[in-house]
Amino acid sequence: MPTSPVWNPQQYGKYADQRGRPFADLLSRVRAESPATVVDLGCGPGNLTATLADRWPEASVHGVDSSAEMIAAAAEVEGGSLTFEVADLREWIQRTPGGSVDVIVSNATLQWLPDQLDLLPSLVERLRPGGWLAIQIPGNHDAPSHEILRELANTAPYAEFAAPNAVRGNLPEPADYLRVLTSAGCEVDAWETTYSHVLQGENAVLEWVKGTGARPVLQSLPEGLRVNFEREYGERLSRAYPRQAFGTVLPFRRVFAVAQKPGEPQSIGVEGATR
């Protein structure tokens, strides 16, 4: 069975500028003017969640992540109306009243949930009339970085440990988000973008994926096998993504969806917000 990885905020934080750009592009399409309650589901180390508090300084901004390590890192930016907690996304849905949130953001998180499309109507239900749901997921599961990872993880002697953690189902396309969210009554903007990230450093693509997609596979391996796997994986990645004089180019496709719930936004001051 797949194992739950222990996330490393420092490894994830490498190339933070490149990782943060899709978040900024996603939020640029959210036109909420004065939300009272904003929630970031899968907030990671909280650095991007903090930008939500900067944009809406009168709002209560709350970050939720299932990783205790990520939330511990988020404590460095916590303060005032910006708060964080360790919680599973499904748990948050179950205990959050319907119609209680103005903006829900989920950036690079829902790809870990095989039933994410089934959860979207529940997220819409948690929005107040006129509220916004903003989603971004990686769409690069067919990229060399992931194809090499799956191939190697299913090769002896690694397969015994790593194969279950290399299985990833098909991820939603923009049309899938459009279909499900419009069926939930929302006005929807769905699109995709492929970024050409220029990464610096030795075997930069390996360093990138060690913080995200490859981490569950690497952590599933005993230490001795992990060292060998990482070396072989890194060698293959360096051939697939050759380093050039200006850096290493990582093409990265991402899928976005921004949905607005029907109805007029409620005029609720911070004093009246649910905290």
Side-chain angles (χ1 to χ4, degrees):
M1 293 181 61
T3 56
S4 298
V6 177
W7 297 103
N8 185 319
Q10 289 71 39
Q11 184 71 42
Y12 182 81
K14 292 185 177 182
Y15 312 112
D17 288 346
Q18 290 90 339
R19 292 194 193 278
R21 182 178 171 188
F23 185 89
D25 290 346
L26 175 68
L27 268 295
S28 71
R29 309 294 277 270
V30 175
R31 298 190 299 276
E33 294 182 1
S34 54
T37 305
V38 178
V39 176
D40 185 2
L41 296 176
C43 63
N47 56 309
L48 297 177
T49 315
T51 67
L52 302 178
D54 293 337
R55 175 173 174 177
W56 295 300
E58 300 301 317
S60 171
V61 179
H62 188 59
V64 178
D65 202 288
S66 62
S67 167
E69 292 77 17
M70 288 294 194
I71 294 299
E76 297 182 8
V77 298
E78 187 172 34
S81 62
L82 177 60
T83 58
F84 297 93
E85 70 166 317
V86 179
D88 179 79
L89 187 148
R90 293 184 184 88
E91 173 195 338
W92 180 87
I93 291 174
Q94 291 175 356
R95 61 177 165 80
T96 300
S100 62
V101 183
D102 294 297
V103 178
I104 297 174
V105 179
S106 183
N107 180 65
T109 296
L110 293 181
Q111 74 274 10
W112 298 106
L113 305 179
D115 60 342
Q116 63 157 299
L117 292 178
D118 296 331
L119 295 175
L120 296 184
S122 295
L123 291 175
V124 173
E125 288 175 5
R126 270 64 191 168
L127 293 172
R128 292 192 177 104
W132 294 81
L133 172 63
I135 297 165
Q136 182 272 125
I137 64 167
N140 64 335
H141 46 285
D142 292 331
S145 57
H146 288 58
E147 290 182 342
I148 295 169
L149 180 68
R150 289 191 294 267
E151 179 183 345
L152 194 57
N154 282 280
T155 302
Y158 311 119
E160 177 184 355
F161 307 95
N165 292 278
V167 176
R168 295 286 292 277
N170 292 329
L171 295 176
E173 296 291 329
D176 296 313
Y177 285 118
L178 188 64
R179 171 178 53 82
V180 174
L181 291 170
T182 54
S183 295
C186 295
E187 181 178 342
V188 183
D189 182 11
W191 73 98
E192 65 177 76
T193 298
T194 298
Y195 297 87
S196 293
H197 296 302
V198 179
L199 308 180
Q200 303 302 321
E202 187 69 27
N203 212 336
V205 176
L206 175 64
E207 291 302 309
W208 177 288
V209 297
K210 280 168 59 177
T212 50
R215 192 162 185 82
V217 171
L218 291 170
Q219 288 202 327
S220 69
L221 293 164
E223 184 174 355
L225 286 180
R226 186 185 308 138
V227 172
N228 293 336
F229 184 99
E230 185 173 322
R231 181 178 62 250
E232 188 171 353
Y233 183 40
E235 290 172 352
R236 295 191 185 187
L237 286 177
S238 66
R239 293 193 292 270
Y241 301 92
R243 187 177 185 180
Q244 304 181 58
F246 56 85
T248 302
V249 178
L250 173 63
F252 203 119
R253 177 178 177 262
R254 294 186 181 269
V255 174
F256 301 79
V258 171
Q260 186 179 24
K261 188 173 182 175
E264 290 297 323
Q266 299 176 13
S267 298
I268 299 178
V270 173
E271 295 80 10
T274 301
R275 292 184 181 273

